[in-house]
Amino acid sequence: MAKSAQVQSIQKQSDKNQSDLDPFEIEFLPQFEQGRGPREAFVNEHGVVIGDHEYESDNSPLEQWTAETDPEVMAGDEWVHPFKDVGFQSAENREYFEKGILPQSGIFTHPDKDVSYEPGQASSKKAEDEAEA
């Protein structure tokens, strides 16, 4: 099936099953809706349909994975739907995109690990721990 025929088929199916929001969509604030990209499913440059929630596709590198496959081939915006991504359902993303609440800083820090030093240097926390032992 040609890419344009694939997209048309997806759009027709989408029109038939249309509800206000897709199960993976959230209520974006107006400033986050503009310039995001298409709301409908699309075919990326690898011939994989993005946004139809059918994650098995003959053209997907996941279906053709070998030891030689570079994982980078599936990195980038072309693999993420701008409105229908499961990641939008996280509490942090909902607070940001629906309510405008900025994420708290330091959410990826670890209370007893100091990652703010250069590789190969001992951290001050490690030195303190060794001194206490």
Side-chain angles (χ1 to χ4, degrees), residues 91-130:
E92 295 86 0
N93 280 338
R94 290 194 81 131
E95 286 178 353
Y96 180 64
F97 290 111
E98 292 182 326
K99 300 174 185 169
I101 300 171
L102 293 174
Q104 295 178 5
S105 63
I107 60 173
F108 296 110
T109 60
H110 196 284
D112 67 350
K113 304 289 186 270
D114 181 2
V115 296
S116 62
Y117 61 93
E118 293 294 321
Q121 291 179 334
S123 74
S124 58
K125 179 73 175 155
K126 183 178 176 184
E128 289 171 17
D129 290 346
E130 289 173 354

Side-chain angles (χ1 to χ4, degrees), residues 50-110:
I50 306 297
D52 66 349
H53 309 305
E54 308 233 353
Y55 298 104
E56 293 181 17
S57 171
D58 292 339
N59 296 327
S60 172
L62 285 176
E63 300 302 318
Q64 303 168 16
W65 205 266
T66 68
E68 288 78 39
T69 304
D70 183 354
E72 185 179 10
V73 72
M74 290 194 68
D77 291 341
E78 67 191 281
W79 295 100
V80 179
H81 195 279
F83 287 96
K84 303 175 185 182
D85 186 72
V86 68
F88 290 130
Q89 297 298 321
S90 73
E92 295 86 0
N93 280 338
R94 290 194 81 131
E95 286 178 353
Y96 180 64
F97 290 111
E98 292 182 326
K99 300 174 185 169
I101 300 171
L102 293 174
Q104 295 178 5
S105 63
I107 60 173
F108 296 110
T109 60
H110 196 284

Side-chain angles (χ1 to χ4, degrees), residues 22-35:
D22 180 279
F24 291 99
E25 283 188 90
I26 61 174
E27 294 280 350
F28 286 96
L29 290 172
Q31 67 263 31
F32 296 119
E33 284 190 355
Q34 298 169 350

Side-chain angles (χ1 to χ4, degrees), residues 8-24:
Q8 287 175 351
S9 172
I10 292 164
Q11 288 172 342
K12 285 178 187 174
Q13 182 181 8
S14 176
D15 290 344
K16 274 197 304 189
N17 301 326
Q18 189 69 28
S19 65
D20 283 356
L21 288 178
D22 180 279
F24 291 99

